[in-house]
Amino acid sequence: MPAAALKSKPLPTQSTAKRSVQLDLPCVPVAKRPLPAGRPREWYVTHNRRLKAMRLAIALLDSGVYMPNQARNEKIRSTAELIGVHPPSDTTCHMVRAFMRYNR
């Protein structure tokens, strides 16, 4: 057997766990599906409110607001304007803070 075949492979200089991630690429939106039919109206209202509150909570976290007490109604509403959604109600603002509290 040739001596070259018996040599051990050199160890990699970088770990394979460290991979470059490109964060500046725009997110690909998830395909929208129609909501299930036949539910009471209140279910749809609550569902859409949760989606909006989650979008706002994510936007606030991305902007550096990590604590629920930092997220006043004015801050949440200005963030809604930045991301292009209608200004949230007081109930939705409360839900945004609840999401932030839950995820701590």
Side-chain angles (χ1 to χ4, degrees), residues 11 14 26 30-31 35 38 43-44 51 57 65 75 85 90-91 93:
L11 294 174
Q14 289 186 347
V30 178
L35 293 175
W43 184 90
Y44 298 104
L51 291 178
V65 178
K75 180 68 176 171
V85 297
D90 290 343
T91 305
C93 291

Side-chain angles (χ1 to χ4, degrees), residues 8-9 13-14 17 24 28 35 50-51 59 72 77 100:
S8 63
K9 292 183 180 178
T13 57
Q14 289 186 347
D24 55 348
V28 178
L35 293 175
R50 282 188 191 129
L51 291 178
R72 305 247 186 266
R77 289 187 176 115
M100 293 176 79

Side-chain angles (χ1 to χ4, degrees), residues 49 73 77 88-95 97:
R49 183 171 303 204
N73 287 358
R77 289 187 176 115
S89 65
D90 290 343
T91 305
T92 305
C93 291
H94 181 77
M95 193 177 284
R97 286 188 289 276

Side-chain angles (χ1 to χ4, degrees), residues 69-82:
N69 59 356
Q70 295 174 321
R72 305 247 186 266
N73 287 358
E74 297 82 25
K75 180 68 176 171
I76 295 171
R77 289 187 176 115
S78 65
T79 304
E81 188 178 332
L82 283 174

Side-chain angles (χ1 to χ4, degrees), residues 22-89:
Q22 295 188 6
L23 297 176
D24 55 348
L25 294 177
C27 297
V28 178
V30 178
K32 292 186 178 182
R33 295 179 295 175
L35 293 175
R39 305 270 173 115
R41 177 173 169 72
E42 188 59 34
W43 184 90
Y44 298 104
V45 171
T46 305
H47 174 76
N48 289 329
R49 183 171 303 204
R50 282 188 191 129
L51 291 178
K52 185 177 194 175
M54 185 59 70
R55 279 190 211 106
L56 287 166
I58 291 168
L60 285 165
L61 290 169
D62 287 344
S63 70
V65 178
Y66 299 112
M67 302 296 288
N69 59 356
Q70 295 174 321
R72 305 247 186 266
N73 287 358
E74 297 82 25
K75 180 68 176 171
I76 295 171
R77 289 187 176 115
S78 65
T79 304
E81 188 178 332
L82 283 174
I83 65 172
V85 297
H86 289 285
S89 65

